[in-house]
Amino acid sequence: MENGSTKKKKWAFQGNPELNTASEITIRAVLAMLKTHLNQSDSRPVIPLGHGDPSSFSCFRTSPIAEDAIANALRSAKFTGYSPTVGVLPARRAVAEYLSQDLPNRISPDDVFLTVGCTQAIQTIITVLADSKANILLPKPGYPYYEAFAQSCHLEVRHFDLLPDKDWEVDLVAVEALADENTAAMVIINPGNPCGNVFTFQHLQKVAETARKLGILVIADEVYGHIAFGKNPFVPMGVFGSITPVITLGSISKRWIVPGWRLGWLIINDPNGVLKKHRIIECITQYLNISSDPPTFIQGAVPDILGKTKEDFFLKIINTIKEAANSCYEGIQDIPGVICPSEPEGSMFVMVKLDLSILENIKDDLDFCVKLAKEESIIILPGISVGLKNWLRLTFAIEPSSLEDGIKRIKAFCRRHSKKA
Amino acid sequence: MGESMEKQEWGFKENHELHAAAAFTIRHILQAIIENIDEPQTGKSVIHLGHGDPSAFPLFRTPTVVEDALIASIRSAHFNCYPPGVGIAPARSAVAKYLSRDLPNKLTTDDVFLTAGANHAIEIILTVLARPGANILFPRPNYPIYEARARFSPLEVRHYDLIPDKGWEVDLDGVKALANDKTVAIVLINPGNPCGNVFTFEHMKKIAETARQLGILVIADEVYAHQVFGEKPFIPMGVFGDIAPVVTLGSLSKRWVVPGWRFGWIAITDPIGILQQTGIVDSLTSCLAITADPPTVIQGAVPSIIENTSDSFFSNINKLLKEAADILYEGLKEIPLVACPHKPEGSMFAMVKLNIPGFDDVVDDTDFCMKLAKEESLIVFPGDAAGLKNWVRVSFAAEPEVLKDAIRRMKAFCLRHAKHY
C-alpha cells in the first residue's frame, strides 16, 4: 500500500442535478412537501384532497372480477415468461376491442402498445419526439409530469392556455401563435386534469383541424376516459384520427381504480398512416424494447378485466364520483375567498380560484396550502404546481364523509383568514 | 401561408438515437432469428435457448407460495394505490434483510430502491451517472442491454476483456489502461451473463481495489445471485463495499423463475456514505420519481415471497441447472466445429466458440444462428451482439430431454455444414 506521498484519487462519479430539478416539479414532490407542514399534535384525521388516487377508500374498491382476472392469469402459469416488447397479443387485442367500441374506425391490435401505466406511455411518446430542435405544446393548467419528463429529455415545452371562462377550452389562437416548424405535437387531457372539464365534439374537431393545419400530431391523454358525469359525453380524440394523427394514452388505473397495477397503453389512431411513414411507430417499438414492460401475468388478465367487468360496477363508481363532485361544488359556493368558475363534469378534479383580496395574511396559493395543512390538516394542491398561480386543484374522489368534513374545515379556515369588515 | 414557400408537411421527426440503441437489444436480435424459423418445414418444435427463461418448463415452475402471496396482496386491496418512486417500505425492508444475510455490513431500508425489473435498474443507474464527457467500463462479452441504454445517453462506453482462458476473469491491466479521470464506473456481472462464470473472492477483492485506485464505483449485476453449482460459491460484491462503493442490481426473475414479473432492485453498499455525499443517492431517488414502477401489488407480496420460499426450492433449481450445464458441456464436446472453453458454473448460459473456417457455408455467428433456426428450429444467441464475434451464447435452462434434443440438432447441423475434404 502506498503512503500519503501519492495523492489518493478523488471519486470521479457524481449525481445528476437535472434529474433532481425534474423530479421536484412532480405532484408527488409538492404533496410530500405539504405533508411536512402537518401539525403532528392535531388528532383529527388528515384529509387528502390533493391526490388522484382514491383506491384506499372502500367506496372506491375495484371490481372483484378484475381481482379474479389477475388470480386466474397467475394460476394458469401461461404468463410466467417474458412478454413481447409491445405486449402479449390477447391483451392488445382486448384493448383494441375495448377502445374500438367508441371509434368509427376499428383499431387493430398492432395499433396498441402496452405500457407500465399511462406514465410510461407519456415517457414513450416524449422520448420518441425529443430532439434538440423540437418542441411540444402543453396545456396550462396541465399535468406536471409532462413538464418534468420533457425536462429530463431536453425537449422544449411551450404552453397554451385553457380558458376558464369557456369551460376550460383550448385557446386555439394561442396554439397557432406558439407553433413553429419544430413543433411536433400538442397535448390535450380529456376528461381534464386538473380542470375537471370534458371537451365537446365540436371543440375536439377544431383541435384536430388546428393540429392538421400546423402539421402536428395530437397526444390525447385519456387516462380519465369515460369518467364523465355532466352534460358533455366523453368523446375519444381518436374519432378525429383521419383529420390529424392522434396518439391516445390511457390505462386501467382510473376507471378500475387500480393505479397500483401499472397497466396502461399507447394507441395509434392514424388511418392515413402518417406516423408509420415517418417511422414514429418504429421508434415507439424501439423505446419499449429498451424499457421495462408491465408484468406478463397482469397483461394476461387484461382480456377478462376489460371484457368481463360489469356495467353496474362502472355506474357505481361514476355515481360515487358524480355525487362527490356535486357535493364539492355545492360546498365551495359557501366558502369565502374561493371561487369555482366551472362545475366539474369529469375526471376527479376541480380548479378553484383564490380571491386573495378578501383573505388576510395569505400571500399566494402555496402559502394558502401550507397554512391549511398546518391549521386544518388538509392537503390540497396549489395551482402553481399545475401552472396556475393563485388557484387550487381539489380532488373530490374520496370517502363522502371525509369530503364533507374537508369542505367544513376549508370553510372554517377561510372564515378565520377573511379580512374583517 | 404562401404555396410558393416550401413547407414540410409535418413537424414531428423520428428519433435516430432510438434506432441505434434498440439494435442492441436481445429481443430485437432474437426477433430476426425467430422469424427464420419454419416449423412446418422442419417438423420440429422450437427449442429456444436464446434467452434465460425456463419458466415454461414444469420442472422450473415457481413455487405455489409465490402465487399465493401475490393473490393475497391483490385480495387485500391494500396495494392498489400508486407506490412511492423508491418503492413501498415493507418491500424495501424485506429486500434489505434478504441481501444482508450475505453481507458483513447490514443494509437498511434506505439502501434499497425498487425498480421495474433489473433492466429498469440498469436504465436508472446509467441515467444517474451519465453526463457529457463521462465514460463507463463494460465487460466484453456483455449483456447487450447495457450497450443499448448507454447508446441512448451521453456516456461513452469502453470495453475491458474477460479472458476465456482464465475462466473469464477480468483483465485488470486492461481496465487500468482504459480508465481515465472521466471514468465513472465499472460494470461486473456475477454470476456471469453470457459466460456462465463465477468470480473468486480474491479476484473480486482485486477488482474492488482497482476501482478504488481509479476513483470509480462498481456496478455489480447480480441478477443470477446464488445460481451457482460448480466449485465456487457466490459472493456478493457488496462484501467489498468498504473498499469501493458498490451499486448492486438484482431481481426476483431468475432465482424465483418469474422473469415476466419485472420486479428488481438497486442496493447500495457504501458504509462510508460516498454515494450519499456525491449526490448519487439523491439522483437515484429523483430518477425513480419520474420513471416506471413495479406494480404495488407485486411489492405488497414481496415480504411474504422472500420469507416463505423454502431453501429446498432454490437448491432444487440449482440442481436442475447443474445437470443441465453438464448435459450441455458434455454434449458440446461431441459436436465438431464448436468449443466451450470454460464449463459453466453459474447463471444459465455458456459461451461457445465457433470454428468458422471449418464450415462450408456459414460466414459468421449471426449466419450460424439464422441457419440453425431455419433448419433445426433451434435458437441460440449470436455472440457478436454480446461483443464476441463468432461465438454463440447458449442457455441451458431447460429440461434434460429438451437439451439432449438441442445437442442432437446442433450436431446434425454442424456435420451437415462442415467442409468436406
Side-chain angles (χ1 to χ4, degrees):
Chain A
M1 255 341 264
E2 290 166 55
N3 68 13
S5 59
T6 313
K7 190 167 164 200
K8 198 169 78 185
K9 267 193 95 86
K10 75 173 176 79
W11 300 102
F13 46 83
Q14 63 193 53
N16 187 334
E18 273 182 6
L19 286 172
N20 299 342
T21 334
S23 74
E24 273 156 26
I25 65 178
T26 60
I27 288 180
R28 256 189 236 166
V30 176
L31 295 179
M33 179 278 293
L34 287 172
K35 285 182 187 145
T36 64
H37 291 277
L38 289 168
N39 182 353
Q40 298 305 321
S41 47
D42 183 348
S43 58
R44 296 176 296 174
V46 175
I47 303 199
L49 298 176
H51 65 172
D53 180 2
S55 63
S56 56
F57 303 105
S58 54
C59 60
F60 283 103
R61 173 132 180 195
T62 192
S63 163
I65 289 177
E67 292 173 6
D68 290 343
I70 300 216
N72 292 337
L74 258 177
R75 298 281 193 213
S76 77
K78 285 200 288 207
F79 302 104
T80 49
Y82 290 119
S83 83
T85 293
V86 295
V88 304
L89 184 56
R92 288 158 53 220
R93 199 181 285 132
V95 171
E97 273 166 31
Y98 169 73
L99 296 173
S100 293
Q101 286 167 31
D102 306 302
L103 295 169
N105 298 311
R106 288 195 68 76
I107 57 178
S108 132
D110 292 336
D111 296 323
V112 176
F113 297 84
L114 299 184
T115 59
V116 181
C118 192
T119 303
Q120 197 194 34
I122 297 175
Q123 276 181 259
T124 304
I125 192 57
I126 299 278
T127 308
V128 165
L129 296 175
D131 160 298
S132 55
K133 292 204 289 253
N135 65 73
I136 60 165
L137 310 181
L138 298 179
K140 186 176 81 136
Y143 178 56
Y145 183 75
Y146 283 94
E147 281 79 355
F149 198 75
Q151 199 174 321
S152 73
C153 284
H154 305 118
L155 174 60
E156 182 198 334
V157 312
R158 300 176 177 189
H159 288 97
F160 58 86
D161 289 324
L162 299 180
L163 304 165
D165 306 325
K166 283 184 149 194
D167 285 333
W168 301 105
E169 284 194 339
V170 173
D171 181 355
L172 288 168
V173 170
V175 168
E176 291 199 42
L178 278 174
D180 64 17
E181 70 275 10
N182 290 315
T183 305
M186 65 180 289
V187 171
I188 58 161
I189 305 176
N190 185 46
N193 175 6
C195 306
N197 64 308
V198 175
F199 292 130
T200 61
F201 183 100
Q202 293 75 11
H203 186 63
L204 290 175
Q205 184 163 27
K206 286 212 191 91
V207 168
E209 286 162 359
T210 306
R212 177 65 189 90
K213 189 169 154 194
L214 300 170
I216 66 181
L217 65 92
V218 176
I219 297 168
D221 183 330
E222 295 180 355
V223 80
Y224 290 95
H226 293 283
I227 303 188
F229 40 80
K231 59 186 190 307
N232 295 332
F234 166 65
V235 175
M237 191 69 196
V239 163
F240 308 100
S242 48
I243 298 180
T244 200
V246 172
I247 290 186
T248 302
L249 315 179
S251 79
I252 59 173
S253 301
K254 307 296 178 179
R255 206 177 182 202
W256 276 266
I257 319 283
V258 287
W261 294 12
R262 314 310 298 126
L263 192 300
W265 50 74
L266 183 154
I267 310 294
I268 312 292
N269 300 101
D270 179 28
N272 298 326
V274 178
L275 296 176
K276 186 164 186 173
K277 194 165 135 212
H278 283 74
R279 301 184 73 188
I280 300 296
I281 313 241
E282 214 179 305
C283 285
I284 290 170
T285 311
Q286 286 162 347
Y287 178 77
L288 292 173
N289 220 346
I290 63 170
S291 308
S292 190
D293 316 307
T296 319
F297 68 85
I298 296 187
Q299 297 184 39
V302 165
D304 279 1
I305 294 173
L306 296 183
K308 291 192 175 158
T309 303
K310 299 209 171 61
E311 199 56 41
D312 59 55
F313 166 74
F314 296 132
L315 283 171
K316 181 177 81 106
I317 297 290
I318 289 278
N319 281 336
T320 310
I321 298 177
K322 181 177 180 160
E323 278 170 29
N326 288 341
S327 158
C328 184
Y329 182 68
E330 297 300 317
I332 290 170
Q333 306 305 312
D334 279 342
I335 302 180
V338 166
I339 306 155
C340 183
S342 215
E343 187 172 356
E345 46 174 7
S347 86
M348 298 176 183
F349 308 102
V350 65
M351 285 295 277
V352 304
K353 190 169 182 172
L354 285 178
D355 182 0
L356 292 172
S357 66
I358 73 150
L359 294 172
E360 202 164 44
N361 296 328
I362 306 276
K363 202 171 64 176
D364 57 22
D365 53 327
L366 185 55
D367 193 30
F368 182 99
C369 292
V370 166
K371 292 189 157 89
L372 188 67
K374 197 178 296 189
E375 297 175 27
E376 297 290 344
S377 295
I378 297 194
I379 305 287
I380 291 185
L381 195 70
I384 186 81
S385 50
V386 295
L388 274 192
K389 192 172 160 69
N390 295 336
W391 288 69
L392 307 170
R393 184 191 82 167
L394 255 132
T395 305
F396 39 79
I398 70 170
E399 203 79 58
S401 55
S402 300
L403 180 62
E404 218 182 289
D405 193 6
I407 300 281
K408 280 199 193 108
R409 294 192 208 174
I410 300 173
K411 193 166 170 181
F413 176 87
C414 288
R415 284 220 174 113
R416 197 161 59 246
H417 285 271
S418 288
K419 285 196 170 115
K420 314 292 176 248
Chain B
M1 239 186 324
E3 249 78 18
S4 54
M5 238 174 32
E6 204 199 281
K7 185 185 182 308
Q8 64 175 26
E9 201 186 353
W10 298 100
F12 43 81
K13 297 179 181 52
E14 58 192 299
N15 184 329
H16 290 279
E17 293 300 299
L18 276 174
H19 292 324
F24 284 98
T25 62
I26 294 182
R27 289 198 271 207
H28 174 86
I29 293 156
L30 286 178
Q31 177 91 353
I33 294 170
I34 290 169
E35 274 161 15
N36 245 22
I37 289 188
D38 192 352
E39 254 175 299
Q41 172 78 353
T42 62
K44 295 179 183 154
S45 61
V46 177
I47 297 181
H48 196 334
L49 300 182
H51 60 187
D53 180 1
S55 62
F57 299 108
L59 280 183
F60 284 91
R61 174 124 183 218
T62 197
T64 337
V65 294
V66 172
E67 292 169 9
D68 291 344
L70 211 319
I71 291 176
S73 170
I74 292 167
R75 299 285 189 204
S76 77
H78 285 144
F79 304 107
N80 292 339
C81 51
Y82 286 112
V86 293
I88 66 175
R92 295 171 76 196
S93 168
V95 171
K97 287 202 185 79
Y98 168 71
L99 296 173
S100 294
R101 292 180 201 166
D102 308 299
L103 294 170
N105 293 310
K106 301 306 166 197
L107 302 181
T108 71
T109 303
D110 292 333
D111 294 322
V112 174
F113 303 82
L114 304 182
T115 64
N119 281 354
H120 184 224
I122 294 173
E123 175 192 335
I124 300 288
I125 189 61
L126 294 185
T127 304
V128 165
L129 290 171
R131 57 179 203 277
N135 68 69
I136 191 164
L137 307 179
F138 288 168
R140 176 172 41 220
N142 196 8
Y143 173 59
I145 286 284
Y146 282 97
E147 274 75 10
R149 267 290 162 186
R151 184 68 181 74
F152 197 63
S153 80
L155 278 172
E156 179 205 330
V157 173
R158 298 179 174 199
H159 288 98
Y160 64 85
D161 289 314
L162 299 178
I163 308 168
D165 305 327
K166 282 184 151 195
W168 300 105
E169 281 197 335
V170 172
D171 173 7
L172 283 167
D173 289 333
V175 166
K176 289 177 198 159
L178 276 176
N180 64 12
D181 58 358
K182 297 280 197 294
T183 306
V184 291
I186 178 170
V187 168
L188 295 171
I189 306 178
N190 184 52
N193 176 4
C195 305
N197 63 309
V198 175
F199 292 135
T200 62
F201 183 97
E202 294 72 25
H203 188 57
M204 290 168 79
K205 186 162 185 212
K206 284 210 192 93
I207 296 170
E209 285 163 355
T210 306
R212 187 197 181 113
Q213 250 177 55
L214 299 171
I216 66 181
L217 64 85
V218 179
I219 297 170
D221 182 329
E222 295 180 354
V223 143
Y224 291 96
H226 300 283
Q227 287 181 309
V228 296
F229 37 79
E231 300 283 301
K232 301 184 193 125
F234 167 68
I235 300 163
M237 192 69 195
V239 162
F240 309 98
D242 52 354
I243 301 178
V246 176
V247 175
T248 304
L249 315 182
S251 86
L252 286 184
S253 302
K254 307 296 178 179
R255 205 177 186 208
W256 274 267
V257 198
V258 286
W261 281 34
R262 304 294 187 181
F263 178 86
W265 54 79
I266 294 174
I268 61 177
T269 323
D270 178 33
I272 315 171
I274 294 160
L275 296 178
Q276 184 77 40
Q277 287 161 34
T278 50
I280 297 288
V281 172
D282 280 346
S283 293
L284 284 173
T285 308
S286 299
C287 196
L288 286 165
I290 60 173
T291 58
D293 313 291
T296 324
V297 281
I298 294 184
Q299 298 189 37
V302 162
S304 190
I305 288 171
I306 292 181
E307 191 166 342
N308 296 331
T309 307
S310 65
D311 283 338
S312 62
F313 167 74
F314 296 134
S315 45
N316 187 46
I317 294 291
N318 279 358
K319 188 159 142 286
L320 287 171
L321 290 174
K322 182 179 165 73
E323 276 171 34
D326 285 342
I327 293 172
L328 180 69
Y329 185 68
E330 297 304 318
L332 286 170
K333 284 184 185 163
E334 305 296 311
I335 304 178
L337 304 179
V338 304
C340 181
H342 184 75
K343 182 173 179 179
E345 45 193 357
S347 88
M348 295 177 182
F349 302 103
M351 278 300 266
V352 178
K353 191 168 184 177
L354 303 176
N355 178 2
I356 293 292
F359 284 95
D360 193 21
D361 58 347
V362 173
V363 306
D364 63 18
D365 51 322
T366 305
D367 193 27
F368 178 92
C369 293
M370 292 290 226
K371 289 185 159 88
L372 187 67
K374 192 179 173 73
E375 297 173 26
E376 298 289 343
S377 294
L378 169 59
I379 304 168
V380 299
F381 190 75
D384 192 25
L388 275 191
K389 199 167 166 61
N390 295 338
W391 291 68
V392 290
R393 182 190 76 167
V394 184
S395 167
F396 46 81
E399 288 184 0
E401 289 316 307
V402 171
L403 280 172
K404 288 176 186 160
D405 193 2
I407 296 282
R408 275 191 293 270
R409 295 189 201 183
M410 196 184 285
K411 187 170 181 180
F413 177 88
C414 290
L415 285 170
R416 197 161 58 242
H417 285 272
K419 276 193 173 112
H420 299 288
Y421 296 99

